[in-house]
Amino acid sequence: LPLSGRLRGEDFQYTITNGSITITNYIGPGGNVAIPAIIDGLPVTAIGGSAFTGNTSLSAITIPDSVTNIEDGGFIAGAFALCGALTNVSLGTHVVYIGGGSFDACTALTRVSIPDRVTTIGQFAFAGCSSLTEVKIGKSVTQLGAGIGYAFEYCTSLASVVVPGSVTNLGAYAFFGCVNLANVVIENGPTYIGAHAFTGAALTNVTLPASLATIGNWAFESCSNLVGVYFKGNAPAVVGFWSDLFLPSNNVTVYYMPGTTGWGLTYAGVPAMLWNPQAQTTDGSFGVRQDQFGFNIAGTADIPVVIEASAGLAGDSWIPLQTCTLTNGLLYFSDPQWKNYPERFYRIRSP
């Protein structure tokens, strides 16, 4: 039976189950709202799937650490869906489940940090958050878009995202229509990327992890800027009615690593090439020439490479020095700045 709260809980209606409270409806004035951790001496552990739906006066929400579950909403609309004035969300550190449609169409929301205890992000959870520019996905999330997917569909302002290695299922349509998404890092861990996961993204190059076993059809459909897809592992199976990943782009080349299997001259209808650049240290090119340190790089003809340098092996101190292709399979690289550092390290990576 819904009860009206009192004191700190006076703006909330809720139900009590097994000594815990689920917020079912917000009846307060809006603005910056902090959900209390305790109401009438009982812990608030869940937010109902329609508790704040369509509240246009809500500008910020703080969810306490006592909450573990933001429940699924309807097919699209969830707990905070259609809250058009919501600009800031603070999720409690004990949230485990973000239900379907939780923040769907929160068009003013600009950034969100998903706590490390969250394991599931439901379908349409952040779909249509068109002002969202920054997303931090917690390190325990295993499912992006549990259900039919669409976790971050049409987040049209999102430019970059890191998918942590905890994610095993990167669901269908996960970043569909994210037209400004130009940088994606997918850490090793995901085994599945769903159909249309990155359709329409602004990606130019993307690296896919060795853990990947299956990709849904049209995963990179209409990525008109995409030129290079770098696979670290064996060739994943392509599933779906069609085996097309990249249509209608005609510019994509797939690159695969030495020692991996399942590759041929083409993959999913586009050219496939072995990506195997190696610094040559025994051919006479390695060392100082004309006051510059350099070396040859050899590999498959015309593969793209980036040469980076760092003053140390640790941290994120690597800086790109040259981006080029191995014309005829060979390139001489030299660094005129090498004497300006007490020590200098080099590495070769994909674009």
Side-chain angles (χ1 to χ4, degrees):
L1 178 68
L3 304 172
S4 294
R6 291 291 181 267
L7 299 176
R8 293 188 65 199
E10 64 186 0
D11 292 335
F12 303 93
Q13 294 177 330
Y14 53 87
T15 58
I16 301 173
T17 303
N18 296 325
S20 297
I21 283 177
T22 297
I23 300 294
T24 58
N25 191 31
Y26 175 70
I27 54 176
N32 189 339
V33 175
I35 296 173
I38 296 174
I39 296 177
D40 288 346
L42 298 176
V44 177
T45 60
I47 311 298
S50 60
F52 292 81
T53 304
N55 189 313
T56 57
S57 63
L58 182 68
S59 60
I61 187 73
T62 300
I63 297 172
D65 290 345
S66 60
V67 170
T68 59
N69 187 18
I70 302 175
E71 296 179 348
D72 290 314
F75 177 67
I76 295 177
F80 301 94
L82 301 168
C83 292
L86 182 63
T87 59
N88 185 62
V89 172
S90 177
L91 293 165
T93 59
H94 286 70
V95 173
V96 174
Y97 186 87
I98 298 176
S102 288
F103 297 93
D104 181 49
C106 289
T107 54
L109 185 63
T110 58
R111 58 180 55 87
V112 64
S113 180
I114 297 168
D116 283 341
R117 294 198 186 191
V118 172
T119 61
T120 302
I121 298 174
Q123 62 190 24
F124 298 97
F126 295 92
C129 292
S130 55
S131 297
L132 195 64
T133 59
E134 183 180 334
V135 172
K136 179 183 177 295
I137 300 174
K139 296 180 180 179
S140 296
V141 173
T142 60
Q143 295 189 73
L144 277 184
I148 63 173
Y150 298 86
F152 293 94
E153 176 203 28
Y154 288 124
C155 290
T156 53
S157 296
L158 188 64
S160 65
V161 68
V162 176
V163 178
S166 59
V167 174
T168 57
N169 185 347
L170 200 162
Y173 296 84
F175 297 96
F176 181 94
C178 295
V179 295
N180 286 299
L181 184 61
N183 297 290
V184 172
V185 174
I186 304 176
E187 296 178 350
N188 194 47
T191 60
Y192 174 77
I193 293 177
H196 296 280
F198 295 98
T199 291
L203 299 169
T204 55
N205 294 281
V206 63
T207 298
L208 301 180
S211 57
L212 187 63
T214 308
I215 307 181
N217 57 304
W218 294 307
F220 296 93
E221 175 198 20
S222 298
C223 294
S224 57
N225 297 329
L226 189 63
V227 294
V229 181
Y230 298 81
F231 288 85
K232 289 187 173 182
N234 299 331
V238 181
V239 297
F241 185 73
W242 299 102
S243 61
D244 297 313
L245 294 181
F246 310 108
L247 287 180
S249 176
N250 296 317
N251 301 317
V252 178
T253 299
V254 160
Y255 300 94
Y256 59 93
M257 306 299 162
T260 58
T261 62
W263 303 102
L265 296 177
T266 64
Y267 175 75
V270 302
M273 300 177 66
L274 176 65
W275 194 84
N276 61 346
Q278 292 289 326
Q280 305 301 297
T281 58
T282 61
D283 65 354
S285 67
F286 188 86
V288 179
R289 288 182 179 180
Q290 298 177 344
D291 210 28
Q292 297 185 23
F293 177 79
F295 48 87
N296 279 332
I297 301 172
T300 303
D302 299 323
I303 58 173
V305 297
V306 178
I307 302 100
E308 294 183 325
S310 175
L313 292 175
D316 299 322
S317 59
W318 293 94
I319 57 173
L321 299 183
Q322 186 175 348
T323 300
C324 53
T325 58
L326 297 189
T327 305
N328 298 321
L330 189 67
L331 169 78
Y332 179 71
F333 163 79
S334 62
D335 180 11
Q337 302 297 321
W338 70 284
K339 289 196 300 184
N340 296 333
Y341 300 86
E343 56 184 1
R344 187 83 145 158
F345 299 89
Y346 301 91
R347 71 179 182 185
I348 304 167
R349 66 164 176 84
S350 59

